[in-house]
Every structure is written in C-alpha cells, then in structure tokens.
Amino acid sequence: MYLHPPDPDLAERLRSVSRRWGGDFEVLGIEDWRGLIRTFDGTVVHLTMYGMPLDRVAARIRSSARVLLVIGGAKVPFEIYERADYNVAVGAQPHSEVAAVALALDRLVGPVAPRRFSGGSVRIRPSARGKRVEERGSRV
Amino acid sequence: MYLHPPDPDLAERLRSVSRRWGGDFEVLGIEDWRGLIRTFDGTVVHLTMYGMPLDRVAARIRSSARVLLVIGGAKVPFEIYERADYNVAVGAQPHSEVAAVALALDRLVGPVAPRRFSGGSVRIRPSARGKRVEERGSRV
C-alpha cells in the first residue's frame, strides 16, 4: 500500500502485524502521489461514490495484470477522476472508505475469506465459541 | 444500529445524512448492551476474527427472520462469545471492524451495490468521470 502523506509509525505498526501474523503486506509512504498515478503501468481504479457501479466493470478490471486502487479522503483532487481508468462506486451514498476497499478487494481479487498467510508466528484456529490461537513455537 | 456507549452527536450526524440522502438508517444509543443481546428475539451473530468462516454459516444465518450483528472494539467481553448464536470471521487476521461489517452485510443481506434509498433530497447519478448530483428541487 502506498500512503500519502507518509506515516512511518503506522507503517511500522502494520509491518509488525505482518511479522506476527504472516503475509507480505507492506506500507510505503510516498510524497509524489501525482507521479505515482500518472506513471503507473496498469489500470488505475478510483473508488468514489460518484462512479459507475463496480459490478458493471469488475470483470474488465479483473482482466488487468496490475491494478492500482486509489482511495482518497474528504477532498479528492479532480485530476484523480480524470486520470483514473475507472471511477467506480460500491455505494452511491456517503460510506466508509474502508468498507469500499473491502468490497472492492472482494470483487476484484477475492472473494475475501479467512485464510492463512505464509510466515508469521501465530495463527487462529477457527472456533465456534472462543479464541484459539496457535503459536508456532508451541508446535515444535 | 445500536451504539454503546451512546454518542448523541454521532447519532445526529448520521440522521442528517439519512435526511439528505434518503433511507431510514437510525442510530440508537444504548446503555444496557448486555440486556439487548440477552433478550434479542432472533439470531445473534458476533463478528470476530476468531470465529468460523462466514461463508460456511451464511446460508443458515440468512434463513433467520431477524439478525443482530455484534461488533466489539479492542476488548470484547467473553460473554458475547458465549451468548452469540454464531461467532463468525470474515478474516482470520487482525482487520478493520468496518470492513467486517461491510462484508457481513454483503453476504447476509446483500450483495452490496450502489442503490437508491427512498426519500432524501439528493441523489448521485453514476458517472464515468466526475460528480453528478441531482437535487430533488431541481427536477420540479
């Protein structure tokens, strides 16, 4: 994930989650978001409540080899609407950007479901009633 | 939505979103969350990364006439795990509660997609590139 403005503390917190839980999720702080979206070699998808329904374009986006999802805050510069290959909506009313990312990943990469990530030192064992966590060390 | 602890300012902000955008979403502050989940007449579904994969129980939950989704913060009292009819996970790693709600609504009520809500004074017209908002008054 590229993050603007950069936030080293947040990046480090997420890195430590990856170390503990596995997977290779990374946060990279960037200053020049304009340069990134201008030169990105792939499909730029901007999530916005003003866009076209995601389900109508999801199949086309899925056929791209590389996708950059763009999620803005309260005031999104208009050039992002112009540069984006797709402006897409998961909802046409005000809604959480986090919810939009979750649903977009579900439709474009997913389906999102509990899964194991490689590496890490702990794993959850799904449980109907309670918390079961497996420590790597405890199985040696 | 029941909210504990109550937050009248937040409730009012969300009410004003509903007035403007339509729909009948409501926030109700409650003190006695224990009483609510103990006496709820329907299926109680607790979203937790420790639970069973949602997709495995979604069909059963969908057959319930009434569902109460429970989403806790950082420290969830164990009695919620015990009272819940289902403890379900949308992810088995730390993740956003907001993302969990979005995906749970998608699987249990959805699919989530841009849709029009009744009432309200403004609507978005989906657009490939830009922002088109229709004011109710402007069509009279």
Side-chain angles (χ1 to χ4, degrees):
Chain A
M1 187 178 92
Y2 300 101
L3 181 65
H4 175 84
D7 182 337
D9 287 349
L10 175 66
E12 179 47 37
R13 281 206 302 283
L14 289 173
R15 247 191 304 274
S16 87
V17 171
S18 287
R19 270 195 302 269
R20 185 163 161 74
W21 292 91
D24 52 9
F25 186 74
E26 256 189 81
V27 177
L28 202 64
I30 52 165
E31 291 291 351
D32 182 21
W33 62 265
R34 281 185 175 81
L36 176 72
I37 67 167
R38 242 187 248 132
T39 60
F40 181 74
D41 178 26
T43 304
V44 175
V45 177
H46 174 218
L47 295 180
T48 164
M49 66 176 179
Y50 299 101
M52 304 300 288
L54 173 58
D55 289 339
R56 226 189 283 171
V57 288
R60 266 182 284 159
I61 297 171
R62 283 186 84 119
S63 71
S64 311
R66 300 183 74 223
V67 172
L68 180 68
L69 274 188
V70 182
I71 304 103
K75 287 285 171 204
V76 174
F78 200 71
E79 63 192 280
I80 292 181
Y81 289 85
E82 291 174 323
R83 164 59 183 99
D85 297 296
Y86 298 95
N87 288 283
V88 297
V90 305
Q93 290 208 329
H95 57 266
S96 151
E97 280 91 6
V98 175
V101 172
L103 289 163
L105 290 178
D106 185 62
R107 303 298 198 266
L108 299 177
V109 186
V112 171
R115 65 188 188 93
R116 299 189 158 191
F117 291 82
S118 60
S121 60
V122 296
R123 315 200 137 142
I124 285 172
R125 290 184 51 109
S127 165
R129 199 165 308 278
K131 305 183 184 181
R132 286 160 64 193
V133 179
E134 226 174 56
E135 298 273 343
R136 273 261 163 118
S138 71
R139 293 187 304 163
V140 173
Chain B
M1 186 179 92
Y2 301 100
L3 182 65
H4 174 85
D7 182 337
D9 288 349
L10 175 67
E12 179 46 38
R13 281 206 303 283
L14 289 173
R15 246 191 304 274
S16 88
V17 171
S18 288
R19 270 195 302 270
R20 186 163 159 74
W21 293 90
D24 52 9
F25 185 74
E26 257 189 80
V27 176
L28 202 65
I30 52 164
E31 291 291 352
D32 183 20
W33 61 267
R34 279 185 176 82
L36 176 71
I37 66 166
R38 240 186 250 133
T39 60
F40 181 74
D41 179 26
T43 304
V44 175
V45 177
H46 174 219
L47 295 180
T48 163
M49 66 176 179
Y50 299 101
M52 302 302 288
L54 174 57
D55 289 338
R56 224 188 286 172
V57 287
R60 264 181 285 159
I61 296 171
R62 283 185 85 119
S63 72
S64 311
R66 301 184 73 222
V67 172
L68 180 69
L69 274 189
V70 182
I71 304 103
K75 287 284 170 202
V76 174
F78 200 72
E79 63 193 278
I80 292 181
Y81 290 84
E82 291 174 323
R83 164 60 182 99
D85 297 297
Y86 298 95
N87 289 282
V88 297
V90 303
Q93 290 209 330
H95 57 266
S96 150
E97 280 90 5
V98 175
V101 172
L103 289 163
L105 290 177
D106 185 65
R107 303 296 198 271
L108 299 177
V109 185
V112 170
R115 66 190 188 92
R116 300 190 157 190
F117 292 82
S118 60
S121 60
V122 296
R123 309 199 144 148
I124 286 171
R125 290 182 51 106
S127 167
R129 200 163 308 279
K131 303 183 185 182
R132 288 159 64 194
V133 180
E134 227 175 56
E135 297 272 345
R136 273 263 162 116
S138 69
R139 292 186 305 165
V140 175

